[in-house]
Amino acid sequence: MRVLLTGSAGFIGSHIAEALTAAGHQVRELDLAAPDRSDVRDAGRVADLLCGIDAVCHQAAMVGLGVDVHDLPDYASVNVHGTAVLLAEMARAGVGALVLASSMVVYGEGAYTCPEHGPVRPGPRPEDALRAGRYEPGCPTCGRPLAPGAVAEDAAPDPRNAYADTKLAQEHLAASWARTTGATVTALRYHNVYGPRMPRDTPYAGVAALFRSRLARGEAPLVFEDGRQRRDFVHVRDVARANVLALEHAHDGPGRGGPRAYNIASGEPRTIGDLAAALALAHGGPEPRVTGGYRLGDVRHIVAAPDRARRELGFCASVAFADGMAEFAAAPVTGS
């Protein structure tokens, strides 16, 4: 298969390029960091790169939760406009299969159950509650404590920051393109990806990168809230393999009923405190420090039910948490 890979020089994209090549596919790369500095918003360049392509793997994006409202134009330009340009040129070129890098952030909070009202979707946590150390969301009807669970792909989206808004917009644009053209879309909703080549700490970096950078400086990882917020950490090589499987199944789309989303996750929830402790252990200390700090817009618990990806794509994460964290702690630190 001949695949156009956008974001090919990035953290995840570079691993996908290697995995596709190892699987015998031909990869054509598009990335601002590539030698020709190709931009997904450049319609002419995108059209050139689409010639002779069988499928597109779209990873190019501005990532992170956003620092403030001034980030909105950049997120919209790269993630939304860039995707729109790509889809329009794919339609002109007759390329009808897309694998899209989406994210678990489209869900907002994860799945919760109230003992009285059943499944519920709590709203954003108010700042006064966070400031007082009340981190767990309550039932939106009765306020009682909730039992967190695993979110499945049919959960209603509830994006809560600029990045999440644009990732959901990408899914919507791709779905409209697929309905109009008869093409297929596979949206891979990545959970917390980590591993070699993860960029060093920037205002937009993931928590694993921030913890590792502090450890490299001999500083304790600073854990927000009480450290008990739950996530699903999935290794970047597993994510790359999921993309290869999705591309190899891409032309099965019409039989699945059109655009299809998949949680790409390990299926083994861990806390942020677990993450910090595992990295500190692998690095030889210092021990993490729980600060009680918080960020507005962060969710408390978001873990995945990855069953659909296993059934339909044959994907199952293979890198164990302890092994992956030990490797990540020792991996060379890359630029931002």
Side-chain angles (χ1 to χ4, degrees):
M1 186 188 308
R2 294 161 297 184
V3 179
L4 174 62
L5 173 61
T6 75
S8 58
F11 163 47
I12 297 175
S14 63
H15 285 275
I16 295 173
E18 292 174 356
L20 282 169
T21 301
H25 301 293
Q26 299 176 32
V27 180
R28 190 173 295 170
E29 301 187 12
L30 185 160
D31 197 294
L32 276 171
D36 65 353
R37 295 189 58 78
S38 298
D39 191 327
V40 73
R41 294 166 291 185
D42 181 343
R45 182 59 182 151
V46 171
D48 290 343
L49 291 171
L50 283 168
C51 291
I53 289 296
D54 300 308
V56 173
C57 185
H58 184 31
Q59 307 293 313
M62 183 174 178
V63 300
L65 300 184
V67 175
D68 58 38
V69 71
H70 300 104
D71 293 321
L72 288 171
D74 288 338
Y75 277 103
S77 177
V78 176
N79 298 358
V80 182
H81 179 63
T83 299
V85 170
L86 175 65
L87 294 171
E89 294 308 320
M90 287 177 68
R92 291 189 179 95
V95 179
L98 173 70
V99 173
L100 171 68
S102 187
S103 172
M104 55 96 175
V105 297
V106 303
Y107 297 121
E109 282 283 356
Y112 291 86
T113 302
C114 172
E116 181 176 350
H117 296 99
V120 296
R121 297 296 298 274
R125 296 176 295 167
E127 186 169 11
D128 59 349
L130 296 172
R131 191 182 302 117
R134 300 192 303 273
Y135 303 123
E136 295 291 342
C139 175
T141 301
C142 67
R144 295 177 66 179
L146 301 173
V151 65
E153 291 87 350
D154 56 1
D158 186 18
R160 299 188 177 183
N161 54 62
Y163 175 62
D165 291 332
T166 60
K167 296 310 287 185
L168 186 58
Q170 286 183 323
E171 288 197 23
H172 286 165
L173 286 171
S176 295
W177 166 80
R179 285 191 295 269
T180 301
T181 63
T184 65
V185 177
T186 304
L188 302 182
R189 292 174 177 168
Y190 304 156
H191 285 249
N192 291 70
V193 186
Y194 74 96
R197 302 178 210 152
M198 192 175 191
R200 58 182 167 82
D201 51 327
T202 74
Y204 304 91
V207 67
L210 296 174
F211 288 169
R212 185 182 65 167
S213 292
R214 289 190 62 85
L215 287 163
R217 296 193 297 268
E219 300 169 354
L222 301 180
V223 180
F224 278 9
E225 302 185 19
D226 57 3
R228 297 175 185 170
Q229 54 272 53
R230 296 163 73 242
R231 297 291 188 270
D232 188 303
F233 298 97
V234 58
H235 195 278
V236 67
R237 286 196 299 274
D238 282 327
V239 171
R241 185 163 49 83
N243 275 270
V244 174
L245 290 168
L247 284 160
E248 292 174 346
H249 285 79
H251 294 288
D252 298 339
R256 297 196 312 257
R260 192 73 160 160
Y262 295 92
N263 285 325
I264 302 302
S266 73
E268 298 180 356
R270 304 280 179 169
T271 68
I272 298 296
D274 290 338
L275 168 68
L279 285 173
L281 177 64
H283 201 275
E287 291 294 312
R289 181 160 59 88
V290 177
T291 69
Y294 59 86
R295 291 192 310 179
L296 287 177
D298 277 358
V299 299
R300 178 62 174 174
H301 304 295
I302 175 69
V303 299
D307 301 342
R308 180 185 288 178
R310 183 182 66 250
R311 290 193 312 267
E312 299 182 9
L313 301 179
F315 170 75
C316 185
S318 62
V319 180
F321 179 78
D323 294 341
M325 287 299 164
E327 178 195 23
F328 176 57
V333 177
T334 64
S336 60

